[in-house]
Amino acid sequence: NSIYIIETGGLRILHWGDNRQNPPERVWKIIGDVDVAILAVSDEGHILSQHWADVVMKKTKANIVIPGHYYVEGVNIPGAYGFEAADEWVHKHAHTLLDEATITLTKDEVAKYEQHVMYFGNHVAFEAGGELPRIGDELPEIPAPTRAWERFAPKE
């Protein structure tokens, strides 16, 4: 998958995407330090485990970390793919629980933070809820959860 570095308004923003937690050292050098990191972290570790989200946050020296790719009430199918929210991980760090679906950040404002989590929780930029997709009268079958990072664990 792709990792994006976006430079705008004097900010260096990392979007981690659906990527493993341990890229080669050459990738870490390209990423370098960032002001804002958007990480695919959730409590069950579907993409990044809590531990590896911490590693990425520290290696990039991110001032602000925004969790992404987690369960959102009224958007995701409950229990699908083992998705959980990122509440537990968020509360382990200095954090701000955002009460809106958007945020505006400036270079000066971001510089005041050091490894601070800003969490949207269930706030999304559209109306959530409504009917879940069904096949006849049934919800689609939900596959067993996977722990993606285990594919990259050292072999015993």
Side-chain angles (χ1 to χ4, degrees), residues 20-33:
R20 65 185 185 162
Q21 68 277 10
N22 55 348
E25 190 57 37
R26 66 181 175 75
V27 173
W28 289 114
K29 287 179 182 175
I30 292 168
I31 292 170
D33 295 348

Side-chain angles (χ1 to χ4, degrees), residues 15-78:
H15 185 278
W16 191 259
D18 278 1
N19 285 286
R20 65 185 185 162
Q21 68 277 10
N22 55 348
E25 190 57 37
R26 66 181 175 75
V27 173
W28 289 114
K29 287 179 182 175
I30 292 168
I31 292 170
D33 295 348
V34 300
D35 300 298
V36 178
I38 303 168
L39 302 182
V41 59
S42 57
D43 291 342
E44 90 290 346
H46 180 74
I47 302 298
L48 286 178
S49 68
Q50 294 183 41
H51 165 77
W52 279 103
D54 290 348
V55 169
V56 174
M57 178 171 61
K58 289 175 183 154
K59 283 189 93 153
T60 62
K61 298 180 183 167
N63 298 72
I64 293 175
V65 177
I66 299 173
H69 208 293
Y70 58 85
Y71 177 82
V72 175
E73 185 71 37
V75 175
N76 302 104
I77 296 172

Side-chain angles (χ1 to χ4, degrees), residues 19-22 148-155:
N19 285 286
R20 65 185 185 162
Q21 68 277 10
N22 55 348
W149 72 90
E150 289 177 345
R151 294 183 306 219
F152 306 104
K155 306 294 184 237

